[in-house]
Amino acid sequence: MKTKWIMLLLSSVLLCSCKNDKTENNSEGENKVIVDNIFKVTVTVIAKENDDFCLLYTEDGSINFSQGSVWQNVKGNENEQQVVFNLPKEAYPTQLRIDFGMNKEQEDITLKGIVCEYNGNKKEIRGNDLGLFFRPDDSKCTFDSSTGLIKPVIKDGQKQSPSFYPQEANLGPELIKLAN
């Protein structure tokens, strides 16, 4: 019987200690959730076919996107959906690039917004502001910032995979602000 109580107590302790969020009491006695320092990018899109999107990032201010990437599977849907990219814990981006899939059967994609979050700070980019912070790779797609419509370019009979590069002078400073 004593062994059962010890096992129950150990199980309870282990279950309670496995929670990721930490709480801390502030001076008013309220609990505040402390968020892990992971940079998160949420892209809200309408993508009608299954695909794989990729978020590429740099940490040196350049647009040499061979430094890091995060892939995310996207299930085709007629409605808006959020594609969430969590960067590795030690990574903090200075520039971002988004590749909107590789599925050649993908229809036009509608980009509704991009949200960058870090340590409780958030930058939301929506509507015409998308064009202020990101630019399409003209050899792969066109983008209408008033509607969010991304149209792949067809080159030599092949549909290209849409890709967005940063407007470096605008996006870089905003990403740095999130760290403060």
Side-chain angles (χ1 to χ4, degrees), residues 113-117 122-126 129-130 133 178:
I114 299 170
V115 178
C116 299
E117 297 177 74
K122 183 186 293 191
K123 173 66 179 173
E124 294 187 44
I125 306 169
R126 299 194 182 285
D129 286 348
L130 289 164
F133 294 97
L178 292 175

Side-chain angles (χ1 to χ4, degrees), residues 95-110:
Q95 294 294 343
L96 299 171
R97 181 179 111 193
I98 304 168
D99 290 356
F100 292 95
M102 303 179 65
N103 181 353
K104 300 299 183 194
E105 302 303 314
Q106 185 67 260
E107 297 181 31
D108 296 344
I109 296 170
T110 304

Side-chain angles (χ1 to χ4, degrees), residues 7-21:
M7 293 301 288
L8 181 62
L9 180 62
L10 283 174
S11 297
S12 298
V13 169
L14 286 174
L15 285 174
C16 292
S17 66
C18 288
K19 190 175 179 190
N20 286 337
D21 292 340

Side-chain angles (χ1 to χ4, degrees), residues 76-153:
N77 196 325
E78 298 278 333
N79 300 312
E80 281 184 25
Q81 61 181 303
Q82 294 185 335
V83 182
V84 179
F85 299 93
N86 290 312
L87 273 61
K89 191 167 186 161
E90 68 281 354
Y92 193 90
T94 55
Q95 294 294 343
L96 299 171
R97 181 179 111 193
I98 304 168
D99 290 356
F100 292 95
M102 303 179 65
N103 181 353
K104 300 299 183 194
E105 302 303 314
Q106 185 67 260
E107 297 181 31
D108 296 344
I109 296 170
T110 304
L111 177 61
K112 296 294 192 171
I114 299 170
V115 178
C116 299
E117 297 177 74
Y118 181 75
N119 201 23
N121 297 321
K122 183 186 293 191
K123 173 66 179 173
E124 294 187 44
I125 306 169
R126 299 194 182 285
N128 284 326
D129 286 348
L130 289 164
L132 295 174
F133 294 97
F134 291 92
R135 59 185 164 82
D137 178 340
D138 293 332
S139 68
K140 295 184 176 190
C141 65
T142 61
F143 176 62
D144 181 347
S145 63
S146 65
T147 62
L149 191 62
I150 302 169
K151 288 184 153 295
V153 167

